Amino acid sequence: MLQTEPQRHLGILQRLDTVMQRLGQQPSTLIPMLQEIQDEYRYLPEDLLTYVATALNVSPATVYGVATFYAQFSLEPKGKYVIQVCDGTACHVRGSMPVYEAICKKVRLIDGKATTDDGLFTVESVSCVGACAAAPVVTINGEVYGKMTPDAIVVIIDTLDKRGDEVS
Amino acid sequence: MNTMTINGQQVQYEQETNLLEVIRKAGIDLPTFCYHSELSVYGACRMCMVDVNGRGALASCHTPPEPGMVIKTNTPELRHMRKISLELLLANHDRECTACSRSGSCKLQELAQRFGIQEIRFGQRDKRTPLDHSSPSIVRDPNKCILCGDCVRMCEEVQGIGVLDFTHRGSKITVSPAFNKQLGDVECVNCGQCAAICPTGALTVKAQTEQAWRAIHDPKTTVVVQIAPAIRVAMGEEFQMPAGQSTLGQIAAALRLMGADYVFDTSFTADLTVLEETHELVNRLQNDGPLPHFTSCCPAWVKFVEQYYPEFLPNLSSCRSPQQMFGSLAKYRFSQDLEMSPDDMFVISIMPCTAKKFEAQREEFQPGGRPDVDLVLTTQELAKMIREDGMDFAHLEPSSMDMPFGFVTGAGVIFGVSGGVSEAVLRHAFVELTGKPPQAQDLAVVRSTEGQRITDVQLGDTTLRLAVAHGLAQAKDLLEKIKNGEERVDVLEVMACPGGCVGGAGQPIVQQRAQSVEKRTSALYREDKGLQLHQSAQNPMVKDVYQRWLEKPGSDKAHALLHTHYGSRRRISGTAMEMGYAPQAPVDVQVCVGTSCYLKGSMQVLKALTDQVSQAGLTDNVRLRGAFCCQQCASGPMVIVGDDVVAGVSPKDIPDVMHRIRQQMEIPASR
């Protein structure tokens, strides 16, 4: 990935510098910086967290504490497509779990793993995305798909899978 | 003076900042895990809940007192709450008390007893987390952590480091170093204050008594023991004696009964330190520095400077700590007196300190792989050995120290308190500079319990500006002031632990820690008073040591055995980060983006270098990485090209770096 995207790390360091210039070199800038990294890599690489700790003059343990506290951050690399299945009350009673199982089967995720071996998909269940009227709801990289069924989600993943092949 | 009602009694209060303090002053020992007056209020353990009339149950530790409050501390609801909290903590706790080194001094055990908990209605946690044995000083057992956060706040607030923090959330929450690394791989300075404040056995002093027994029981090994100044006034507390009672004679007797061959006093090498360090200081004062002169007796402080203030490394005294001076003298000179090989001698230090375990393992103090000090035991560990041996410590017939390293002056003894090293050095410098001994009032300014104190000391015509700090956060604050020119001092003494070595993390674990430290401090000052000599230079055995082995303070011979040097040190283990070019490329270029280099502009260097490498079309030939600390922080920003280390690089030096890259590219081709 590094060869195909040269200077990616340097690019993110420059973006982090911009965030710091905008918000100040202080502990409260931590979360915006982590968001920037999560945005770029879809996870938080350890070396970059050490860099952030250095830049903001907070201890690496504190950065790690914040990074592990929020569900929006991930310390493990996530897939190209992050599929979130809402399992809030409304979605649950309208059958979110069969949808979840259909997704796992489709992308061949077993043994409670969250990310496929090819790094294409991450599947997770979340508690309420706030779109209960369209239950059951699935979001893929932030895009919302309402009134899902096990059949419908498979069709959607098929189209993603093809796009994914083209890109990678 | 205001009044409130506690359990039907009228109670007056004044300065107290929270209800808990008022209640405890009224004689009610409300239980807590997470409240410590020297740390910020956290309010996590919920043990100190009280009923405030009209407001319900509140945590008293973070409720400010108000006049006329009506408080109850022991209603059925409160008792129920406390018991539930305790039961939940116990359900989540590794309850193998019999095999826990904190059994007997564990707060959780004590409160479970106090609240009569004989049955835990909740299931025991089945998941076990591995123990962290990586640190030379501390063992971390997450299975015993009750998440009170005392260690987190101690390290952050008192020591200014923040090695530990809460990670994850909800049921998965743990206290751990960054990235779930081990303590030995991160910026921990080994002071052990986290273990001293931990209410349970989650953080404990590394136990090494077995190694001591092995050496003692080996007939071929001569065991030489040194006892640090702060031990004599604390050991009694392990045996129900009052804090501050001097028990040096009993400690010596106990060691002999166990089988130690020689028992010496580290205060002796403290006297030696005074002569060497004063010589070094006077030299620095007369020859333009480097000033301020930093003491270097405290290994946690030394590691702190190595990690965070590399620019001040030349300011650290080159004198070894008294422990290490003792080690080298014993192994390489005393062994000659005994006509034996240093390999047959085993040096054990009894220290109030966990960082001394780390110090003894430093490369500098293991010439040729043979350690000067073989083993460091804390006060706690020696107490365990005494108990194991079944001695009635309090009633042992006192025994005296061996010669030659057993004769000490008061100056060497007060090394155990914050300000003691300074006072001892000043006593000697006073004589050196004025020709007469100081009166008590001349140096009284050094004695205080303030975390940070700066004072002018008049030594004849010379005015010496002296700063003393204990607690590394206080030291950090002082260093920042010195760095930005707000303060100018000649001498800086730092001890990492509150109160100095008497408050070390290896000392007995007691309920009223602050009071104990205070009593140990005044006991050491009393000890000084009771001795015949108060000037290190008057110590006849020190004179003898110079005459026979070291010539004079600061001589080459003294330097070889009693001095050392320190270097910068990275804070956290980790790999360099790839900066985007081909990771398999032949030329490896690393730009340091660790803290020191970052602050000196390594980012600009990195940017300029990237641009140049692209413009030159060398992107396929260069593996560019951002390194985290090449441990040469004082001369950063650092750039490493292959094996070439280039210091102090600025963007205008990039052509030179590019030249080196081209050279490196040619080397493999020409081979």
Side-chain angles (χ1 to χ4, degrees), chain B residues 631-648:
Chain B
Q631 308 192 64
Q632 302 191 24
C633 312
S635 38
M638 304 299 298
V639 177
I640 303 174
V641 183
D643 300 325
D644 279 0
V645 180
V646 198

Side-chain angles (χ1 to χ4, degrees), chain B residues 114-128:
Chain B
R114 215 173 111 181
F115 286 87
I117 294 180
Q118 290 173 335
E119 186 193 2
I120 290 130
R121 289 166 288 175
F122 312 107
Q124 177 81 3
R125 183 174 69 161
D126 48 5
K127 197 171 149 269
R128 277 191 69 88

Side-chain angles (χ1 to χ4, degrees), chain B residues 372-442:
Chain B
D372 292 346
V373 172
D374 295 278
L375 182 65
V376 179
L377 297 178
T378 58
T379 320
Q380 292 172 23
E381 290 166 272
L382 181 60
K384 283 205 172 74
M385 291 176 74
I386 294 171
R387 278 195 286 267
E388 197 177 333
D389 229 0
M391 292 177 213
D392 179 5
F393 181 76
H395 298 105
L396 282 179
E397 188 66 25
S399 168
S400 63
M401 297 279 124
D402 284 304
M403 290 302 245
F405 311 138
F407 192 93
V408 305
T409 73
V413 170
I414 57 170
F415 262 56
V417 301
S418 165
V421 177
S422 302
E423 183 171 338
V425 168
L426 288 177
R427 283 183 194 174
H428 182 49
F430 198 94
V431 181
E432 293 276 288
L433 295 167
T434 67
K436 56 180 189 345
Q439 298 304 305
Q441 67 273 14
D442 294 330

Side-chain angles (χ1 to χ4, degrees), chain B residues 83-132:
Chain B
K83 285 181 108 158
I84 288 266
S85 294
L86 280 169
E87 276 186 71
L88 286 167
L89 286 174
L90 286 164
N92 215 15
H93 186 82
D94 172 5
R95 299 200 300 276
E96 287 286 343
C97 287
T98 46
C100 179
S101 70
R102 286 292 302 273
S103 186
S105 64
C106 171
K107 195 90 194 169
L108 184 59
Q109 194 184 43
E110 182 209 324
L111 292 187
Q113 294 280 320
R114 215 173 111 181
F115 286 87
I117 294 180
Q118 290 173 335
E119 186 193 2
I120 290 130
R121 289 166 288 175
F122 312 107
Q124 177 81 3
R125 183 174 69 161
D126 48 5
K127 197 171 149 269
R128 277 191 69 88
T129 316
L131 271 62
D132 176 357

Side-chain angles (χ1 to χ4, degrees), chain A residues 2-11 13-14 17 20-21 25 33 41 44-72 75, chain B residues 156 161-170 176-181 187 476 571-584 593-596 598-599 603-604 606-607 610-611 614 624 628:
Chain A
L2 288 167
Q3 287 99 324
T4 57
E5 293 174 69
Q7 288 178 288
R8 192 180 185 190
H9 254 65
L10 189 66
L13 292 191
Q14 283 166 343
D17 252 12
M20 263 193 298
Q21 272 162 27
Q25 212 167 340
M33 282 173 87
Y41 292 89
L44 305 176
E46 184 183 305
D47 48 11
L48 276 174
L49 293 187
T50 311
Y51 173 80
V52 168
T54 298
L56 295 180
N57 195 21
V58 293
S59 82
T62 302
V63 173
Y64 182 66
V66 172
T68 52
F69 183 86
Y70 293 103
Q72 61 172 309
L75 275 291
Chain B
E156 175 77 37
I161 301 176
V163 169
L164 298 165
D165 209 334
F166 288 100
T167 66
H168 301 90
R169 70 192 291 180
S176 93
F179 313 117
N180 209 15
K181 282 183 196 287
E187 67 272 50
K476 191 173 168 184
R571 297 173 198 183
I572 189 162
S573 69
T575 49
M577 62 179 169
E578 298 289 345
M579 284 310 192
Y581 296 126
Q584 312 299 332
V593 290
T595 312
S596 287
Y598 176 87
L599 293 172
M603 269 305 297
Q604 284 73 25
L606 190 57
K607 266 178 215 165
T610 321
D611 291 346
S614 321
L624 188 62
F628 282 102

